[in-house]
Amino acid sequence: MGTTALITGITGQDGSYLAELLLSKGYTVHGLVRRSSSQSTPRIDHLVQDPHVEDGRLFLHSGDLNDGSRLAMLLERLQPDEIYHLAAQSDVRVSFDEPEYTGAVTGLGTTRILEAMRISGLPARFYQASSSEMFGAAPPPQSEETPFRPSSPYAAAKVYSYWMTRNYREAYGLYAVNGIMFNHESPRRGEAFVTRKIARAASRIARGEQAILRLGNLEARRDWGYAPEYVEAMWRMLQRAKPDDYVVATGTSYSVRDFVSFCFERVGLDWERHVRFDEQYMRPSDVPDLVGDASKAKLELAWEPTVFAPELAQIMTDAELEDPAAVTVR
Ligand code: NDP
Ligand code: GDR
């Protein structure tokens, strides 16, 4: 029997790339999918339909992070060797509007899985999708040693999940790790996140389908990497003999304004003629500057990024130009 993994959040950006990676390594992959009135699986439909995986190595199960008994039942039934916990209310802006819901899903959802593992005695390895947002206002560069100063309900919920993961490791001996990932993007990025919003708008404006791009804070700086490279780091973390926490980042930072200029340059347009400030995209508090120090991941996981923001902007803009309708499945 090969290795079996459970991915929560398999329908999201990272879940889809991770499912591809694990299937390519011969894993059996189970994915948690929450009920929706419309299809939520466009990012993974190509895996479900691919004749090469119709030997039954990808299975989807309905379930929600708010439903602890369902999660416990699935763990009991599936007996995964590895659990990649990626599901979350992951939108920082939305977390200011829905702080209680964000806490219930992004915070308590993690505890529900850890507690199900503890009670059942399941010897699985557990990956928690921790975030650079947890550093918040802490000045860059940020490493595993940097104290957290969360600046949003989302970040506070992730800090809670980070510590619950560590607590279950230290108190109960679970193999549980935190990947502290800095922003990572791709053509599969959700359309509300700033990189995808910019790449999509640049291509639509170039095609004459849109006139103006409305954005909030152009000065925020982020350490943007390429999502397929980041899921590789997740997998490497769970292959180590001992569980530990790792920062995953490129070590470079660019402003939102820089990313705008990269995308518009790619389509041959002057961004200043098309971008307008819009107050509604501002946050009650924003994280000013994130730059990760991923030395530990380089040393212990032999993980290094190869795609940086300028190339990332090209990849995302080109994907939008080629076939905007199919972009989420690339
Ligand atoms: P996405 O927003 O693309 O995906 C989130 C996933 O969680 C989706 O599959 C979504 O399902 C699922 N989900 C949301 N709420 C629930 C719920 N109540 N029950 C079950 N499933 C739920 O996120 P990413 O792929 O970008 O990120 C993956 C994880 O990594 C997240 O936890 C995120 O917070 C974290 N992270 C992401 C970073 C990034 O730059 N991308 C950086 C650091 C951390 P549905 O498709 O139905 O909405
Ligand atoms: P972030 O990503 O908050 O870093 O969280 P997002 O792309 O939403 O914002 C990045 C920066 O861009 C500024 N910004 C805008 N953002 C959005 N979404 N829309 C706009 O119009 C806009 N204008 C300016 C924001 O203010 C911010 O400073 C992402 C998520 O994936 C989290 O789940 C993850 O944990 C972190 O990355 C690391």
Side-chain angles (χ1 to χ4, degrees):
M1 288 288 283
T3 312
T4 297
L6 171 65
I7 304 176
T8 73
I10 194 169
T11 57
Q13 171 188 257
D14 290 6
S16 66
Y17 285 119
L18 182 65
E20 282 172 6
L21 178 76
L22 298 182
L23 288 169
S24 76
K25 291 182 183 296
Y27 278 55
T28 297
V29 175
H30 296 275
L32 186 77
V33 180
R34 61 176 166 163
R35 195 263 159 187
S36 164
S37 66
S38 55
Q39 277 288 350
S40 63
T41 55
R43 293 186 180 98
I44 53 169
D45 280 346
H46 63 295
L47 296 176
V48 177
Q49 290 159 4
D50 184 345
H52 296 105
V53 296
E54 276 186 2
D55 54 356
R57 285 196 293 114
L58 176 64
F59 301 94
L60 302 181
H61 307 270
S62 67
D64 194 293
L65 288 182
N66 278 318
D67 186 352
S69 60
R70 173 67 173 160
L71 297 172
M73 195 277 271
L74 283 174
L75 292 199
E76 188 74 36
R77 200 174 91 205
L78 304 174
Q79 297 281 311
D81 302 298
E82 297 174 3
I83 299 172
Y84 295 88
H85 175 40
L86 310 183
Q89 190 303 90
S90 72
D91 189 312
V92 176
R93 177 69 192 83
V94 166
S95 80
F96 287 100
D97 299 330
E98 302 182 29
E100 183 184 329
Y101 174 77
T102 301
V105 171
T106 304
L108 276 176
T110 309
T111 303
R112 293 188 183 104
I113 299 176
L114 288 167
E115 189 62 357
M117 288 175 69
R118 182 185 73 81
I119 290 171
S120 67
L122 181 73
R125 296 184 168 203
F126 176 85
Y127 173 88
Q128 164 60 16
S130 283
S131 166
S132 52
E133 280 293 299
M134 301 188 306
F135 296 121
Q142 295 94 1
S143 74
E144 293 83 0
E145 307 306 321
T146 305
F148 299 136
R149 286 181 59 191
S151 305
S152 66
Y154 166 82
K158 283 287 183 185
V159 169
Y160 167 76
S161 282
Y162 169 93
W163 282 111
M164 288 305 280
T165 300
R166 282 194 66 159
N167 182 246
Y168 274 63
R169 178 165 88 215
E170 289 159 10
Y172 305 118
L174 262 61
Y175 189 113
V177 310
N178 286 287
I180 308 172
M181 302 252 161
F182 283 61
N183 298 55
H184 44 278
E185 321 290 315
S186 74
R188 294 185 198 171
R189 191 55 146 146
E191 289 169 10
F193 296 101
V194 81
T195 54
R196 176 83 192 279
K197 182 176 170 181
I198 296 166
R200 190 168 140 80
S203 118
R204 283 172 55 83
I205 291 169
R207 282 200 306 270
E209 294 167 7
Q210 182 176 334
I212 297 297
L213 166 60
R214 296 179 197 284
L215 293 171
N217 182 5
L218 293 183
E219 310 311 325
R221 299 185 72 84
R222 290 290 182 276
D223 181 333
W224 281 298
Y226 187 39
E229 298 189 332
Y230 284 51
V231 301
E232 171 73 28
M234 295 176 188
W235 176 76
R236 288 190 189 197
M237 277 179 222
L238 289 197
Q239 312 314 309
R240 299 278 299 164
K242 280 192 181 159
D244 205 349
D245 307 319
Y246 296 90
V247 158
V248 178
T250 70
T252 62
S253 115
Y254 293 87
S255 66
V256 173
R257 184 192 304 274
D258 293 333
F259 205 90
V260 169
S261 72
F262 298 148
C263 293
F264 277 75
E265 204 172 289
R266 189 68 176 169
V267 296
L269 292 174
D270 174 4
W271 70 268
E272 295 196 58
R273 295 184 53 218
H274 299 280
V275 173
R276 302 280 181 277
F277 173 74
D278 191 329
E279 178 73 32
Q280 70 168 298
Y281 298 111
M282 295 298 282
R283 300 168 183 189
S285 60
D286 203 354
V287 173
D289 196 359
L290 293 171
V291 192
D293 173 358
S295 312
K296 184 175 166 188
K298 183 178 176 187
L299 188 70
E300 297 185 12
L301 306 176
W303 180 89
E304 272 192 276
T306 67
V307 177
F308 300 88
E311 188 189 348
L312 179 64
Q314 291 184 9
I315 292 170
M316 293 179 71
T317 309
D318 289 354
E320 297 287 346
L321 286 170
E322 276 165 30
D323 185 358
V327 80
T328 51
V329 296
R330 278 201 196 86

